[in-house]
mmCIF file with all atom_site columns, all heavy atoms in Angstrom:
data_model
loop_
_atom_site.group_PDB
_atom_site.id
_atom_site.type_symbol
_atom_site.label_atom_id
_atom_site.label_alt_id
_atom_site.label_comp_id
_atom_site.label_asym_id
_atom_site.label_entity_id
_atom_site.label_seq_id
_atom_site.pdbx_PDB_ins_code
_atom_site.Cartn_x
_atom_site.Cartn_y
_atom_site.Cartn_z
_atom_site.occupancy
_atom_site.B_iso_or_equiv
_atom_site.pdbx_formal_charge
_atom_site.auth_seq_id
_atom_site.auth_comp_id
_atom_site.auth_asym_id
_atom_site.auth_atom_id
_atom_site.pdbx_PDB_model_num
ATOM 1   N N   . GLU A 1 10 ? -121.439 22.131 -141.296 1.00 54.00 ? 10 GLU A N   1
ATOM 2   C CA  . GLU A 1 10 ? -120.592 21.135 -140.625 1.00 54.00 ? 10 GLU A CA  1
ATOM 3   C C   . GLU A 1 10 ? -119.173 21.641 -140.493 1.00 54.00 ? 10 GLU A C   1
ATOM 4   O O   . GLU A 1 10 ? -118.531 21.500 -139.473 1.00 54.00 ? 10 GLU A O   1
ATOM 5   C CB  . GLU A 1 10 ? -120.590 19.828 -141.425 1.00 54.00 ? 10 GLU A CB  1
ATOM 6   C CG  . GLU A 1 10 ? -121.702 18.877 -140.994 1.00 54.00 ? 10 GLU A CG  1
ATOM 7   C CD  . GLU A 1 10 ? -121.746 17.653 -141.877 1.00 54.00 ? 10 GLU A CD  1
ATOM 8   O OE1 . GLU A 1 10 ? -120.660 17.184 -142.281 1.00 54.00 ? 10 GLU A OE1 1
ATOM 9   O OE2 . GLU A 1 10 ? -122.859 17.170 -142.176 1.00 54.00 ? 10 GLU A OE2 1
ATOM 10  N N   . GLU A 1 11 ? -118.693 22.264 -141.595 1.00 55.00 ? 11 GLU A N   1
ATOM 11  C CA  . GLU A 1 11 ? -117.335 22.820 -141.592 1.00 55.00 ? 11 GLU A CA  1
ATOM 12  C C   . GLU A 1 11 ? -117.195 23.876 -140.496 1.00 55.00 ? 11 GLU A C   1
ATOM 13  O O   . GLU A 1 11 ? -116.232 23.917 -139.751 1.00 55.00 ? 11 GLU A O   1
ATOM 14  C CB  . GLU A 1 11 ? -117.029 23.460 -142.958 1.00 55.00 ? 11 GLU A CB  1
ATOM 15  C CG  . GLU A 1 11 ? -115.866 22.797 -143.665 1.00 55.00 ? 11 GLU A CG  1
ATOM 16  C CD  . GLU A 1 11 ? -115.632 23.437 -145.026 1.00 55.00 ? 11 GLU A CD  1
ATOM 17  O OE1 . GLU A 1 11 ? -115.107 24.560 -145.038 1.00 55.00 ? 11 GLU A OE1 1
ATOM 18  O OE2 . GLU A 1 11 ? -116.005 22.814 -146.040 1.00 55.00 ? 11 GLU A OE2 1
ATOM 19  N N   . GLU A 1 12 ? -118.232 24.739 -140.421 1.00 55.00 ? 12 GLU A N   1
ATOM 20  C CA  . GLU A 1 12 ? -118.247 25.825 -139.436 1.00 55.00 ? 12 GLU A CA  1
ATOM 21  C C   . GLU A 1 12 ? -118.194 25.241 -138.018 1.00 55.00 ? 12 GLU A C   1
ATOM 22  O O   . GLU A 1 12 ? -117.443 25.688 -137.169 1.00 55.00 ? 12 GLU A O   1
ATOM 23  C CB  . GLU A 1 12 ? -119.529 26.663 -139.611 1.00 55.00 ? 12 GLU A CB  1
ATOM 24  C CG  . GLU A 1 12 ? -119.521 28.017 -138.885 1.00 55.00 ? 12 GLU A CG  1
ATOM 25  C CD  . GLU A 1 12 ? -118.412 28.943 -139.380 1.00 55.00 ? 12 GLU A CD  1
ATOM 26  O OE1 . GLU A 1 12 ? -118.240 29.087 -140.602 1.00 55.00 ? 12 GLU A OE1 1
ATOM 27  O OE2 . GLU A 1 12 ? -117.714 29.499 -138.520 1.00 55.00 ? 12 GLU A OE2 1
ATOM 28  N N   . GLY A 1 13 ? -119.037 24.199 -137.813 1.00 57.00 ? 13 GLY A N   1
ATOM 29  C CA  . GLY A 1 13 ? -119.077 23.543 -136.499 1.00 57.00 ? 13 GLY A CA  1
ATOM 30  C C   . GLY A 1 13 ? -117.737 22.928 -136.156 1.00 57.00 ? 13 GLY A C   1
ATOM 31  O O   . GLY A 1 13 ? -117.256 23.042 -135.031 1.00 57.00 ? 13 GLY A O   1
ATOM 32  N N   . GLY A 1 14 ? -117.106 22.316 -137.157 1.00 56.00 ? 14 GLY A N   1
ATOM 33  C CA  . GLY A 1 14 ? -115.783 21.715 -136.945 1.00 56.00 ? 14 GLY A CA  1
ATOM 34  C C   . GLY A 1 14 ? -114.751 22.745 -136.552 1.00 56.00 ? 14 GLY A C   1
ATOM 35  O O   . GLY A 1 14 ? -113.891 22.505 -135.709 1.00 56.00 ? 14 GLY A O   1
ATOM 36  N N   . ARG A 1 15 ? -114.875 23.927 -137.204 1.00 55.00 ? 15 ARG A N   1
ATOM 37  C CA  . ARG A 1 15 ? -113.901 24.994 -136.941 1.00 55.00 ? 15 ARG A CA  1
ATOM 38  C C   . ARG A 1 15 ? -113.987 25.472 -135.487 1.00 55.00 ? 15 ARG A C   1
ATOM 39  O O   . ARG A 1 15 ? -112.984 25.655 -134.823 1.00 55.00 ? 15 ARG A O   1
ATOM 40  C CB  . ARG A 1 15 ? -114.150 26.157 -137.901 1.00 55.00 ? 15 ARG A CB  1
ATOM 41  C CG  . ARG A 1 15 ? -112.870 26.787 -138.394 1.00 55.00 ? 15 ARG A CG  1
ATOM 42  C CD  . ARG A 1 15 ? -113.146 27.804 -139.501 1.00 55.00 ? 15 ARG A CD  1
ATOM 43  N NE  . ARG A 1 15 ? -113.638 27.187 -140.734 1.00 55.00 ? 15 ARG A NE  1
ATOM 44  C CZ  . ARG A 1 15 ? -114.412 27.795 -141.617 1.00 55.00 ? 15 ARG A CZ  1
ATOM 45  N NH1 . ARG A 1 15 ? -114.824 29.029 -141.390 1.00 55.00 ? 15 ARG A NH1 1
ATOM 46  N NH2 . ARG A 1 15 ? -114.804 27.180 -142.707 1.00 55.00 ? 15 ARG A NH2 1
ATOM 47  N N   . THR A 1 16 ? -115.232 25.691 -134.991 1.00 55.00 ? 16 THR A N   1
ATOM 48  C CA  . THR A 1 16 ? -115.382 26.163 -133.602 1.00 55.00 ? 16 THR A CA  1
ATOM 49  C C   . THR A 1 16 ? -114.872 25.100 -132.643 1.00 55.00 ? 16 THR A C   1
ATOM 50  O O   . THR A 1 16 ? -114.263 25.405 -131.633 1.00 55.00 ? 16 THR A O   1
ATOM 51  C CB  . THR A 1 16 ? -116.855 26.505 -133.253 1.00 55.00 ? 16 THR A CB  1
ATOM 52  O OG1 . THR A 1 16 ? -117.663 25.383 -133.567 1.00 55.00 ? 16 THR A OG1 1
ATOM 53  C CG2 . THR A 1 16 ? -117.325 27.735 -133.982 1.00 55.00 ? 16 THR A CG2 1
ATOM 54  N N   . GLN A 1 17 ? -115.085 23.823 -133.004 1.00 54.00 ? 17 GLN A N   1
ATOM 55  C CA  . GLN A 1 17 ? -114.587 22.723 -132.163 1.00 54.00 ? 17 GLN A CA  1
ATOM 56  C C   . GLN A 1 17 ? -113.064 22.777 -132.098 1.00 54.00 ? 17 GLN A C   1
ATOM 57  O O   . GLN A 1 17 ? -112.465 22.624 -131.026 1.00 54.00 ? 17 GLN A O   1
ATOM 58  C CB  . GLN A 1 17 ? -115.063 21.383 -132.745 1.00 54.00 ? 17 GLN A CB  1
ATOM 59  C CG  . GLN A 1 17 ? -114.683 20.161 -131.918 1.00 54.00 ? 17 GLN A CG  1
ATOM 60  C CD  . GLN A 1 17 ? -115.283 20.200 -130.527 1.00 54.00 ? 17 GLN A CD  1
ATOM 61  O OE1 . GLN A 1 17 ? -116.456 20.450 -130.368 1.00 54.00 ? 17 GLN A OE1 1
ATOM 62  N NE2 . GLN A 1 17 ? -114.465 19.976 -129.509 1.00 54.00 ? 17 GLN A NE2 1
ATOM 63  N N   . ASP A 1 18 ? -112.439 23.037 -133.273 1.00 57.00 ? 18 ASP A N   1
ATOM 64  C CA  . ASP A 1 18 ? -110.970 23.149 -133.327 1.00 57.00 ? 18 ASP A CA  1
ATOM 65  C C   . ASP A 1 18 ? -110.478 24.259 -132.415 1.00 57.00 ? 18 ASP A C   1
ATOM 66  O O   . ASP A 1 18 ? -109.501 24.090 -131.691 1.00 57.00 ? 18 ASP A O   1
ATOM 67  C CB  . ASP A 1 18 ? -110.496 23.445 -134.767 1.00 57.00 ? 18 ASP A CB  1
ATOM 68  C CG  . ASP A 1 18 ? -110.635 22.204 -135.650 1.00 57.00 ? 18 ASP A CG  1
ATOM 69  O OD1 . ASP A 1 18 ? -110.877 21.123 -135.080 1.00 57.00 ? 18 ASP A OD1 1
ATOM 70  O OD2 . ASP A 1 18 ? -110.520 22.329 -136.879 1.00 57.00 ? 18 ASP A OD2 1
ATOM 71  N N   . ILE A 1 19 ? -111.186 25.399 -132.470 1.00 55.00 ? 19 ILE A N   1
ATOM 72  C CA  . ILE A 1 19 ? -110.772 26.551 -131.648 1.00 55.00 ? 19 ILE A CA  1
ATOM 73  C C   . ILE A 1 19 ? -110.847 26.190 -130.169 1.00 55.00 ? 19 ILE A C   1
ATOM 74  O O   . ILE A 1 19 ? -109.931 26.470 -129.402 1.00 55.00 ? 19 ILE A O   1
ATOM 75  C CB  . ILE A 1 19 ? -111.636 27.800 -131.959 1.00 55.00 ? 19 ILE A CB  1
ATOM 76  C CG1 . ILE A 1 19 ? -111.338 28.301 -133.377 1.00 55.00 ? 19 ILE A CG1 1
ATOM 77  C CG2 . ILE A 1 19 ? -111.370 28.923 -130.949 1.00 55.00 ? 19 ILE A CG2 1
ATOM 78  C CD1 . ILE A 1 19 ? -112.333 29.297 -133.927 1.00 55.00 ? 19 ILE A CD1 1
ATOM 79  N N   . GLN A 1 20 ? -111.944 25.525 -129.783 1.00 55.00 ? 20 GLN A N   1
ATOM 80  C CA  . GLN A 1 20 ? -112.095 25.116 -128.381 1.00 55.00 ? 20 GLN A CA  1
ATOM 81  C C   . GLN A 1 20 ? -110.982 24.161 -127.969 1.00 55.00 ? 20 GLN A C   1
ATOM 82  O O   . GLN A 1 20 ? -110.395 24.290 -126.908 1.00 55.00 ? 20 GLN A O   1
ATOM 83  C CB  . GLN A 1 20 ? -113.456 24.455 -128.163 1.00 55.00 ? 20 GLN A CB  1
ATOM 84  C CG  . GLN A 1 20 ? -114.581 25.491 -128.048 1.00 55.00 ? 20 GLN A CG  1
ATOM 85  C CD  . GLN A 1 20 ? -115.948 24.846 -128.015 1.00 55.00 ? 20 GLN A CD  1
ATOM 86  O OE1 . GLN A 1 20 ? -116.091 23.664 -128.323 1.00 55.00 ? 20 GLN A OE1 1
ATOM 87  N NE2 . GLN A 1 20 ? -116.954 25.618 -127.655 1.00 55.00 ? 20 GLN A NE2 1
ATOM 88  N N   . ASP A 1 21 ? -110.718 23.193 -128.846 1.00 63.00 ? 21 ASP A N   1
ATOM 89  C CA  . ASP A 1 21 ? -109.647 22.224 -128.573 1.00 63.00 ? 21 ASP A CA  1
ATOM 90  C C   . ASP A 1 21 ? -108.304 22.923 -128.428 1.00 63.00 ? 21 ASP A C   1
ATOM 91  O O   . ASP A 1 21 ? -107.506 22.598 -127.563 1.00 63.00 ? 21 ASP A O   1
ATOM 92  C CB  . ASP A 1 21 ? -109.557 21.167 -129.684 1.00 63.00 ? 21 ASP A CB  1
ATOM 93  C CG  . ASP A 1 21 ? -110.747 20.216 -129.638 1.00 63.00 ? 21 ASP A CG  1
ATOM 94  O OD1 . ASP A 1 21 ? -111.464 20.264 -128.629 1.00 63.00 ? 21 ASP A OD1 1
ATOM 95  O OD2 . ASP A 1 21 ? -110.943 19.461 -130.594 1.00 63.00 ? 21 ASP A OD2 1
ATOM 96  N N   . GLU A 1 22 ? -108.080 23.905 -129.315 1.00 67.00 ? 22 GLU A N   1
ATOM 97  C CA  . GLU A 1 22 ? -106.817 24.657 -129.274 1.00 67.00 ? 22 GLU A CA  1
ATOM 98  C C   . GLU A 1 22 ? -106.656 25.396 -127.952 1.00 67.00 ? 22 GLU A C   1
ATOM 99  O O   . GLU A 1 22 ? -105.596 25.355 -127.339 1.00 67.00 ? 22 GLU A O   1
ATOM 100 C CB  . GLU A 1 22 ? -106.765 25.666 -130.436 1.00 67.00 ? 22 GLU A CB  1
ATOM 101 C CG  . GLU A 1 22 ? -105.951 25.173 -131.604 1.00 67.00 ? 22 GLU A CG  1
ATOM 102 C CD  . GLU A 1 22 ? -105.921 26.183 -132.737 1.00 67.00 ? 22 GLU A CD  1
ATOM 103 O OE1 . GLU A 1 22 ? -105.510 27.325 -132.492 1.00 67.00 ? 22 GLU A OE1 1
ATOM 104 O OE2 . GLU A 1 22 ? -106.316 25.820 -133.863 1.00 67.00 ? 22 GLU A OE2 1
ATOM 105 N N   . THR A 1 23 ? -107.748 26.088 -127.530 1.00 75.00 ? 23 THR A N   1
ATOM 106 C CA  . THR A 1 23 ? -107.635 26.856 -126.284 1.00 75.00 ? 23 THR A CA  1
ATOM 107 C C   . THR A 1 23 ? -107.423 25.910 -125.102 1.00 75.00 ? 23 THR A C   1
ATOM 108 O O   . THR A 1 23 ? -106.665 26.209 -124.190 1.00 75.00 ? 23 THR A O   1
ATOM 109 C CB  . THR A 1 23 ? -108.887 27.733 -126.025 1.00 75.00 ? 23 THR A CB  1
ATOM 110 O OG1 . THR A 1 23 ? -110.051 26.925 -126.210 1.00 75.00 ? 23 THR A OG1 1
ATOM 111 C CG2 . THR A 1 23 ? -108.936 28.924 -126.944 1.00 75.00 ? 23 THR A CG2 1
ATOM 112 N N   . GLU A 1 24 ? -108.077 24.750 -125.151 1.00 78.00 ? 24 GLU A N   1
ATOM 113 C CA  . GLU A 1 24 ? -107.903 23.749 -124.085 1.00 78.00 ? 24 GLU A CA  1
ATOM 114 C C   . GLU A 1 24 ? -106.465 23.249 -124.074 1.00 78.00 ? 24 GLU A C   1
ATOM 115 O O   . GLU A 1 24 ? -105.835 23.138 -123.022 1.00 78.00 ? 24 GLU A O   1
ATOM 116 C CB  . GLU A 1 24 ? -108.883 22.588 -124.337 1.00 78.00 ? 24 GLU A CB  1
ATOM 117 C CG  . GLU A 1 24 ? -109.092 21.669 -123.147 1.00 78.00 ? 24 GLU A CG  1
ATOM 118 C CD  . GLU A 1 24 ? -109.619 22.383 -121.913 1.00 78.00 ? 24 GLU A CD  1
ATOM 119 O OE1 . GLU A 1 24 ? -110.532 23.227 -122.031 1.00 78.00 ? 24 GLU A OE1 1
ATOM 120 O OE2 . GLU A 1 24 ? -109.103 22.097 -120.820 1.00 78.00 ? 24 GLU A OE2 1
ATOM 121 N N   . THR A 1 25 ? -105.951 22.962 -125.282 1.00 82.00 ? 25 THR A N   1
ATOM 122 C CA  . THR A 1 25 ? -104.563 22.503 -125.412 1.00 82.00 ? 25 THR A CA  1
ATOM 123 C C   . THR A 1 25 ? -103.604 23.588 -124.946 1.00 82.00 ? 25 THR A C   1
ATOM 124 O O   . THR A 1 25 ? -102.630 23.310 -124.242 1.00 82.00 ? 25 THR A O   1
ATOM 125 C CB  . THR A 1 25 ? -104.247 22.137 -126.891 1.00 82.00 ? 25 THR A CB  1
ATOM 126 O OG1 . THR A 1 25 ? -105.282 21.292 -127.379 1.00 82.00 ? 25 THR A OG1 1
ATOM 127 C CG2 . THR A 1 25 ? -102.908 21.434 -127.003 1.00 82.00 ? 25 THR A CG2 1
ATOM 128 N N   . ASP A 1 26 ? -103.895 24.835 -125.348 1.00 83.00 ? 26 ASP A N   1
ATOM 129 C CA  . ASP A 1 26 ? -103.060 25.962 -124.916 1.00 83.00 ? 26 ASP A CA  1
ATOM 130 C C   . ASP A 1 26 ? -102.988 26.032 -123.401 1.00 83.00 ? 26 ASP A C   1
ATOM 131 O O   . ASP A 1 26 ? -101.926 26.249 -122.821 1.00 83.00 ? 26 ASP A O   1
ATOM 132 C CB  . ASP A 1 26 ? -103.636 27.304 -125.435 1.00 83.00 ? 26 ASP A CB  1
ATOM 133 C CG  . ASP A 1 26 ? -103.302 27.524 -126.907 1.00 83.00 ? 26 ASP A CG  1
ATOM 134 O OD1 . ASP A 1 26 ? -102.514 26.708 -127.443 1.00 83.00 ? 26 ASP A OD1 1
ATOM 135 O OD2 . ASP A 1 26 ? -103.824 28.481 -127.505 1.00 83.00 ? 26 ASP A OD2 1
ATOM 136 N N   . LEU A 1 27 ? -104.138 25.856 -122.748 1.00 84.00 ? 27 LEU A N   1
ATOM 137 C CA  . LEU A 1 27 ? -104.216 25.947 -121.294 1.00 84.00 ? 27 LEU A CA  1
ATOM 138 C C   . LEU A 1 27 ? -103.401 24.837 -120.636 1.00 84.00 ? 27 LEU A C   1
ATOM 139 O O   . LEU A 1 27 ? -102.643 25.081 -119.693 1.00 84.00 ? 27 LEU A O   1
ATOM 140 C CB  . LEU A 1 27 ? -105.677 25.880 -120.844 1.00 84.00 ? 27 LEU A CB  1
ATOM 141 C CG  . LEU A 1 27 ? -105.967 26.211 -119.383 1.00 84.00 ? 27 LEU A CG  1
ATOM 142 C CD1 . LEU A 1 27 ? -105.488 27.616 -119.030 1.00 84.00 ? 27 LEU A CD1 1
ATOM 143 C CD2 . LEU A 1 27 ? -107.461 26.094 -119.097 1.00 84.00 ? 27 LEU A CD2 1
#
Side-chain angles (χ1 to χ4, degrees):
E10 270 175 37
E11 242 178 74
E12 194 61 47
R15 219 172 292 153
T16 53
Q17 184 61 48
D18 287 349
I19 292 166
Q20 281 172 346
D21 289 348
E22 261 180 56
T23 48
E24 196 59 43
T25 311
D26 282 352
L27 191 58

